């Protein structure tokens, strides 16, 4: 079966049609690349300009004098190592707990088929309709005085980890992927004597690497870029993540130093995407076909 595209093969067979097609394609590709890469270039070079030059109107595309001191000042003055370490701890814990509990819940709803499973799934998905802002106050009251044990999780990474576990979107994403796994393979493992946990660990998880990569990216990025919730639960400046520290420490900091700090703070997420982009694309495309 042939694939239908915007330009038919018959149209491409005409004289000069392929030349026009590739010219248009190249121009559009370059424009999109510039639209995405120019802000990054502007941020990186902005940190290398002098304070007067970065505020100049009209702006300069290339710094007249390259100053690397903005990055070293940002690293020292804004205490970036400490806040980056806090962010890594918070993001890693939220990622690990979310991966464990969301995967277990999605596997149970998809393959174990518990009683009232559809009702439970419907209740979980219904939480996606609740605005995130409406949940801020209840979440804060909960972590400030944890029910039953009556302890406070403020200024504790658990205040980030525990709310991040309840991610309905990632749970549904995992369940939809598990639904598409071939049942014959799982039934064959059950006939060989493998229990539900053995099937999950030895068969389901290795087959689910693409979607697990996507969920991991979503979990890490959500914690890394979150601002409001860490601002509320971390009053101790030594425990604050990088997103909150950049705002809190930017009052008496030069603009070039602040821009340099933003560049440094964005490097881990950019590097993470570049390393795992193949898994991300594979995980996104895996959900569009039924295996």
């Amino acid at each position: 079966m042939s694939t239908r595209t915007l330009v038919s093969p018959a149209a491409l067979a005409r004289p000069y049609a392929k030349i026009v097609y590739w010219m248009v394609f190249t121009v559009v590709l370059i424009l999109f690349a510039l639209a995405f890469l120019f802000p990054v270039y502007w941020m990186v070079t902005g940190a290398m300009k002098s304070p007067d030059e970065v505020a100049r109107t009209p702006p300069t595309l290339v710094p007249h004098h390259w100053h690397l001191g903005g990055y070293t000042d940002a690293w020292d003055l804004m205490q970036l190592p400490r806040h980056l370490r806090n962010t890594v701890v918070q993001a890693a814990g939220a990622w690990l707990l979310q991966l464990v509990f969301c995967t277990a819940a999605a596997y149970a709803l998809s393959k174990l088929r518990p009683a009232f499973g559809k009702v439970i799934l419907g209740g979980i998905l219904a939480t996606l309709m609740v605005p995130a802002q409406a949940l801020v106050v209840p979440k804060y009251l909960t972590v400030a005085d944890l029910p039953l044990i009556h302890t406070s999780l403020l200024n504790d990474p658990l205040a980030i980890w525990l709310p991040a576990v309840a991610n309905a979107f990632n749970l549904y994403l995992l369940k939809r992927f598990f639904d598409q796994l071939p049942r014959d393979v799982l039934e064959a493992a059950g006939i060989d004597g493998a229990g539900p946990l053995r099937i999950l660990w030895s068969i389901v998880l290795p087959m689910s690497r693409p979607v697990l990569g996507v969920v991991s990216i979503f979990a890490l990025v959500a914690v890394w870029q979150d601002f409001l919730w860490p601002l509320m639960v971390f009053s101790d400046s030594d425990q604050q993540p990088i997103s909150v520290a950049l705002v809190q420490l930017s009052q008496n900091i030069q603009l070039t130093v602040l821009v340099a700090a933003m560049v440094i703070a964005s490097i881990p997420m950019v590097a993470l995407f570049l390393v795992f982009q193949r898994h991300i694309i594979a995980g996104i495309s895996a959900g569009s076909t039924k295996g």
Side-chain angles (χ1 to χ4, degrees), residues 25-188:
F25 178 79
T26 304
V27 170
V28 172
L29 183 63
I30 293 175
L31 290 177
F32 270 94
L34 290 177
F36 283 99
L37 295 178
F38 182 75
V40 178
Y41 166 81
W42 187 262
M43 184 170 60
V44 173
T45 57
M48 300 181 184
K49 299 177 182 179
S50 63
D52 294 334
E53 185 179 0
V54 76
R56 181 180 302 176
T57 303
T60 57
L61 292 177
V62 180
H64 294 316
H65 301 284
W66 298 82
H67 302 278
L68 297 178
Y71 290 100
T72 57
D73 291 342
W75 187 262
D76 297 329
L77 297 178
M78 304 191 73
Q79 302 175 345
L80 291 185
R82 173 189 298 172
H83 297 296
L84 284 173
R85 182 174 63 251
N86 295 338
T87 309
V88 169
V89 170
Q90 296 166 20
W95 162 75
L96 181 60
L97 291 177
Q98 190 175 139
L99 208 60
V100 170
F101 286 98
C102 285
T103 301
Y107 175 71
L109 292 173
S110 175
K111 298 303 180 183
L112 302 184
R113 305 292 177 86
F116 306 106
K118 293 184 177 180
V119 177
I120 296 173
L121 179 62
I124 293 173
L125 295 180
T127 61
L128 293 174
M129 303 180 185
V130 182
Q133 294 79 2
L135 301 176
V136 171
V137 174
K139 284 199 305 183
Y140 182 82
L141 295 177
T142 301
V143 300
D145 185 13
L146 205 62
L148 300 180
I149 60 178
H150 298 290
T151 184
S152 175
L153 297 180
L154 299 180
N155 294 314
D156 192 306
L158 286 172
I160 301 293
W161 297 349
L162 297 183
V165 173
N167 192 303
F169 177 78
N170 285 344
L171 189 150
Y172 180 71
L173 190 65
L174 287 165
K175 181 187 178 300
R176 289 295 300 167
F177 187 88
F178 292 160
D179 289 342
Q180 298 171 3
L181 294 179
R183 181 170 294 275
D184 296 342
V185 177
L186 306 183
E187 291 177 350

